[in-house]
């Protein structure tokens, strides 16, 4: 094999890729016309991140239902605008989807993208975040944190992921509603956790799933959850609502198509997604990622109403925070 | 300590498929690493769906093996074509390609491979023995420490110029400047984007290095092809001798240590480790001016470091559930899908998994050496192909690779522009290495400086007086001063030498290399 004079490595890669594709894709597509090939899902986050895993987790049962794969296409950076542009450049033939979430609504509120160019298909996940501190933090409860923050506004540093995105909006909303002003410091998701554990920042904003291992080991403690209800796994952690601050925004993950996509295609996809998320395979994933607490599947019309409501909330919050003049 | 190993060995021999998986993974990894644009991250991400059919340990062994293989794989194309197959290998091209161009491709590949394996084994040993304490050490690195580390690396820019300090600094500052294009990492505001959508993502690193190295080299070769004789005839597949390898032992040890520590820091990975250890190799070398011309240490340093960083970046992943690098972030995703909750309890509750990974990575490094050494000679033969065929193939591979990376046509434009810039820099004898170091370390320095200042409420003293930060910053300062002093001394020495030349020369016996001098001993 190694005596091949040139291009051994690329050839090898191609052969391996081909072999695996063939092994994984027994032809099952004859039964129906759409979808007749794999569907690409553009998203703005990295491989291995929450959205990438979301697409893959839906993709496994989706392939059982339709015979076709969902392929995540990651177009990172630039605040999600390049991902949106990439999606818009694709043909509206039913084979291009976009995975959307609050970041798209924020970009819409800021006037960077027009969310009406997207047809909402189905909202699948609705996560909830927490303020989390390390185990030996001086803040025993959220009340300690609020007291300190009110006495010395901005002194408490809260790690968030990404700049000027969902996390920052949520922390800004917390500051507005509670008057307990904290400073959000943007990090990459890994560094945010290490800086919280290492005591470089006082707290971090994170969803339950990614922090689960460190919460269970006792290295981290949750102070408050941003949701309508307490988490069954953290019965002692109050919601912000209980404290009198209406902060329940959470990260959600959903699929959208081009606004002018074929309605028949949309119906097929919504149906397939609805089947996929009811399977054991997806349910297991959902439970492992601790996403089951308020993830109700929203179909196209409910989802559109949800997006419209979110757009109003974000526009109001971002205006109050001074991001929108 | 021993019991979990016995358990893991029993597991692996009980499931012989694990050995097959590791062999497959290393080859798959080398292939992905060596093709520009495919990178180890893609190699790992593509395999994740296939790990579903295996149990979690087998799955993680597969991914770990790919990670090990791909980190070395990038150096093959970096050395042979000046085309780093993956960002980790960018630094290896600096000395690997010049050595290959001299006709010693086999030697360059051999050094890269041995250094990779030694660094990889070192990193795995550190991972096995010291994961929990190393993870705690990594946690003591906050933004100020990251900043100081990046500054220490950046100051080496001045040393790399070879000839001119001024040119080194200019190229480095240019790199730092280009790194600021894109969205502001703290406020999300646009900087130097001129309303251009593509520039929002900034000048991405992979398109930049592929342009700077690979495309610039093709341009260079094309521009001089009418006068250079085909270098193909004298391609040597000679592997490095043991003595040549042992000569780099200090570099190997230093770089492996640097690699393991930097790898363990979340958010900075093998690429940074490679560049910082290259900087250190230059700094501690007795002949810093020779770097960039194809010296063994210049290959051994980045390769030992980036492979050691593989083990290092597994430390926070396994000990804390925090990925130490982009590739381990993908592996983390894979673990979660398998129902494993990464976190500090992993090492206590899943000892069989964790220790199998230790053994698997060790095995992957050994296999890489066993398979790689004989293969290196044959890879070197690729250079015998006429450049009229190789050159266009490189350009095509760069274009498709860069596009495939992020499905972004703008990246291809970045690569083309960087290719032209790289060509120009080399023509004017500005060191490309300094530019690249600025581009790699600039964003880390900027982000961590601003995060750090936010954390300490903009008190510069509180920022700089943290112990680790202070030591690193002082070392950076000392190195700058030493660099200027060295330049001054060399300058003076040259002047004196010119003076000496006018004296009738002493009888010469061509005593340039040790070998010749030995033969010329008086009988």
């Amino acid at each position: 094999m190694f005596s091949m004079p040139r291009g051994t490595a690329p050839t090898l890669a191609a052969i391996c890729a081909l072999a695996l594709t063939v092994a994984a894709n027994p032809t099952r597509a004859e039964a129906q016309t759409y979808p007749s090939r794999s569907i690409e899902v553009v998203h703005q986050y990295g491989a291995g991140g929450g959205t990438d895993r979301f697409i893959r987790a839906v993709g496994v049962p989706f392939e059982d239902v339709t015979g076709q794969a969902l392929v995540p296409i990651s177009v990172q950076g630039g605040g999600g605008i390049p991902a949106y542009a990439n999606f818009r450049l694709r043909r509206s033939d039913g084979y291009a989807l976009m995975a959307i979430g609050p970041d798209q609504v924020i970009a819409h509120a800021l006037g960077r993208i027009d969310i009406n160019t997207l047809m909402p298909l189905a909202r699948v996940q609705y996560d909830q975040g927490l303020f989390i501190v390390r185990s030996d933090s001086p803040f025993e409860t959220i009340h300690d944190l609020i007291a300190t923050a009110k006495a010395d506004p901005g002194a408490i540093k809260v790690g968030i992921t990404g700049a000027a995105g969902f996390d920052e909006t949520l922390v800004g909303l917390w500051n507005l509603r509670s008057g307990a002003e904290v400073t959000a410091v943007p990090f990459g998701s890994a560094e945010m956790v290490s800086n919280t554990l290492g005591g470089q920042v006082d707290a971090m904003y994170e969803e339950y799933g990614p922090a689960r291992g460190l919460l269970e080991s006792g290295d981290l403690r949750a102070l408050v959850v941003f949701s309508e209800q307490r988490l069954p796994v953290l019965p002692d952690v109050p919601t912000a609502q209980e404290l009198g601050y209406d902060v329940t925004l959470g990260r959600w993950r959903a699929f959208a198509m081009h606004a002018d996509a074929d309605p028949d295609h949309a119906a097929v996809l919504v149906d397939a997604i609805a089947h996929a998320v009811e399977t054991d395979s997806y349910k297991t994933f959902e439970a492992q990622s601790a996403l089951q607490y308020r993830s109700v599947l929203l179909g196209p019309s409910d989802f559109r109403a949800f997006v419209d409501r979110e757009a109003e909330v974000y526009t109001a919050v971002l205006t109050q925070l001074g991001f929108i003049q | 300590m021993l019991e979990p190993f016995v358990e893991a060995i029993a597991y692996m021999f009980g499931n012989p498929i694990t050995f097959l998986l590791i062999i497959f993974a290393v080859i798959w990894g080398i292939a992905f690493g060596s093709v520009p644009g495919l990178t180890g991250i893609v190699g790992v991400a593509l395999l994740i769906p296939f790990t579903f059919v295996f149990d979690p340990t087998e799955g993680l062994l597969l991914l770990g093996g790919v990670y090990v293989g791909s980190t070395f794989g990038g150096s093959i194309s970096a050395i042979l074509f000046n085309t780093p197959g993956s960002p980790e290998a960018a630094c290896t091209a600096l000395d690997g390609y010049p050595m290959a161009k001299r006709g010693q491709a086999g030697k360059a590949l051999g050094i890269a491979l041995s250094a990779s394996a030694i660094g990889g084994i070192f990193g795995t040993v550190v991972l096995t023995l010291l994961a929990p304490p190393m993870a705690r050490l990594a946690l003591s690195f906050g933004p100020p420490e990251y900043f100081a580390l990046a500054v220490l690396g950046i100051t080496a820019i001045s040393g790399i110029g070879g000839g001119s300090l001024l040119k080194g600094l200019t190229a480095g500052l240019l790199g730092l400047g280009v790194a600021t294009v894109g969205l502001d990492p703290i406020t999300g505001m646009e900087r130097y984007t001129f309303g251009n959508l593509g520039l929002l993502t900034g000048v991405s690193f992979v398109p930049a290095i592929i342009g700077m190295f690979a495309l610039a080299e093709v341009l260079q070769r094309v521009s001089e092809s009418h006068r250079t004789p085909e270098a193909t005839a004298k391609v040597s597949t000679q592997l490095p001798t043991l003595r040549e390898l042992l000569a780099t032992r200090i570099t190997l040890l230093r770089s492996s240590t640097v690699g393991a520590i930097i790898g363990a820091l979340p958010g900075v990975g093998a690429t940074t480790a490679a560049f910082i250890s290259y900087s250190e190799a230059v700094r501690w070398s007795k002949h810093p001016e020779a770097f960039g011309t194809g010296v063994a240490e210049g290959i051994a340093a980045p390769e030992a470091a980036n492979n050691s960083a593989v083990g290092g970046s597994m430390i926070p992943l396994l000990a804390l559930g925090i990925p130490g690098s982009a590739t381990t972030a993908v592996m983390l995703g894979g673990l979660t899908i398998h129902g494993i909750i990464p976190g500090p309890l992993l090492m206590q509750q899943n000892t069989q998994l964790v220790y199998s990974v230790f053994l698997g990575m060790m095995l992957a490094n050994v296999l890489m050496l066993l398979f790689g050494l004989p293969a290196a000679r044959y890879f070197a033969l690729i250079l015998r192909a006429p450049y009229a065929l190789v050159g266009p193939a490189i350009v095509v591979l760069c274009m498709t690779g860069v596009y495939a990376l992020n499905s972004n046509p703008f990246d291809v434009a970045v690569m083309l522009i960087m290719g032209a810039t790289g060509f120009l820099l080399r023509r004017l004898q500005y060191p490309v290495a300094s530019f690249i170091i600025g581009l790699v370390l600039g964003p880390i320095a900027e982000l961590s400086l601003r995060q750090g200042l936010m954390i300490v409420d903009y008190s510069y003293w509180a920022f700089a007086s943290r112990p680790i930060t202070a030591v690193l910053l002082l070392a950076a300062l000392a190195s700058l001063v030493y660099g200027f002093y060295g330049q001054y001394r060399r300058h003076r020495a040259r002047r004196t030498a010119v003076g000496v030349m006018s004296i009738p020369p002493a009888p010469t016996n061509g005593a340039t290399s040790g070998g010749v001098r030995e033969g010329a001993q008086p009988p």
Side-chain angles (χ1 to χ4, degrees), chain A residues 124-271:
Chain A
V124 179
Q125 300 180 346
Y126 192 19
D127 211 337
Q128 59 278 310
L130 309 124
F131 276 169
I132 295 173
V133 295
R134 68 184 192 282
S135 55
D136 58 351
S137 161
F139 306 126
E140 287 297 328
T141 66
I142 186 67
H143 299 289
D144 299 337
L145 185 141
I146 293 173
T148 310
K150 284 193 169 163
D152 192 357
I156 292 179
K157 307 296 185 291
V158 176
I160 57 168
T161 45
F166 171 75
D167 287 12
E168 190 157 358
T169 314
L170 183 121
V171 172
L173 184 64
W174 161 265
N175 286 346
L176 286 176
R177 297 267 158 93
S178 70
E181 198 179 314
V182 298
T183 305
V185 185
F187 286 96
S189 52
E191 301 95 290
M192 175 182 75
V193 181
S194 65
N195 278 286
T196 308
L197 277 176
Q200 320 292 347
V201 290
D202 301 293
M204 67 174 181
Y205 170 81
E206 178 65 293
E207 278 89 27
Y208 178 71
R212 186 174 178 177
L214 288 158
L215 286 168
E216 284 179 359
S217 69
D219 291 74
L220 292 175
R221 283 189 287 121
L223 294 185
V224 63
V225 57
F226 301 104
S227 181
E228 292 80 10
Q229 259 127 38
R230 291 187 180 202
L231 289 184
V233 276
L234 297 172
D236 301 328
V237 177
T239 67
Q241 256 183 345
E242 285 174 44
L243 303 169
Y245 313 129
D246 186 20
V247 186
T248 58
L249 294 181
R251 232 175 229 294
W252 44 270
R253 297 188 183 90
F255 293 102
M257 293 178 93
H258 289 94
D260 61 351
D262 184 341
D264 293 340
H265 288 175
V268 170
L269 288 180
V270 171
D271 194 48

Side-chain angles (χ1 to χ4, degrees), chain A residues 2 5-6 9-10 12-13 16-17 20 24 47-48 53 56 60 73-79 81-82 85-86 112 157 163-164 183-187 190-191 193-195 197-198 200-201 212-214 216-217 219 288, chain B residues 24 27-28 31 34-35 45 47 49-50 52 136 139-143 183 185-188 197 200-201 266-267 320 322-323 329-330 333 336-337 339 341-345 375 378 382 385 406-407 451 454-455 457 466:
Chain A
F2 286 115
R6 229 161 46 81
L12 191 64
C16 292
L20 286 167
R53 274 183 280 150
R56 290 175 196 277
V60 173
I73 304 288
S74 161
V75 183
Q76 283 178 261
I81 313 297
N86 182 297
R112 290 180 174 166
K157 307 296 185 291
T183 305
V185 185
F187 286 96
E191 301 95 290
V193 181
S194 65
N195 278 286
L197 277 176
Q200 320 292 347
V201 290
R212 186 174 178 177
L214 288 158
E216 284 179 359
S217 69
D219 291 74
Q288 277 156 3
Chain B
F24 167 78
I27 296 172
W28 172 272
S34 58
V35 180
L47 280 185
F50 298 101
F52 295 151
R136 297 288 149 190
L139 290 185
S140 63
F141 273 67
L183 290 183
I186 299 288
T187 65
L197 195 66
L200 273 181
T201 33
L320 298 170
I322 306 171
V330 178
T336 330
I337 293 177
I341 300 162
L345 298 180
Y378 294 102
I382 298 174
N406 217 349
S407 322
Q451 288 168 335
M454 280 176 96
I455 287 172
D457 291 311
R466 295 158 62 109

Side-chain angles (χ1 to χ4, degrees), chain B residues 246-280:
Chain B
L246 283 177
T248 62
R249 62 189 182 277
I250 305 291
T251 308
L252 286 175
L253 185 65
R254 184 192 327 108
S255 301
S256 299
T257 314
V258 167
I261 294 174
I262 292 180
L265 299 176
V268 286
T271 310
T272 315
F275 276 102
I276 290 190
S277 73
Y278 185 82
S279 302
E280 292 310 309

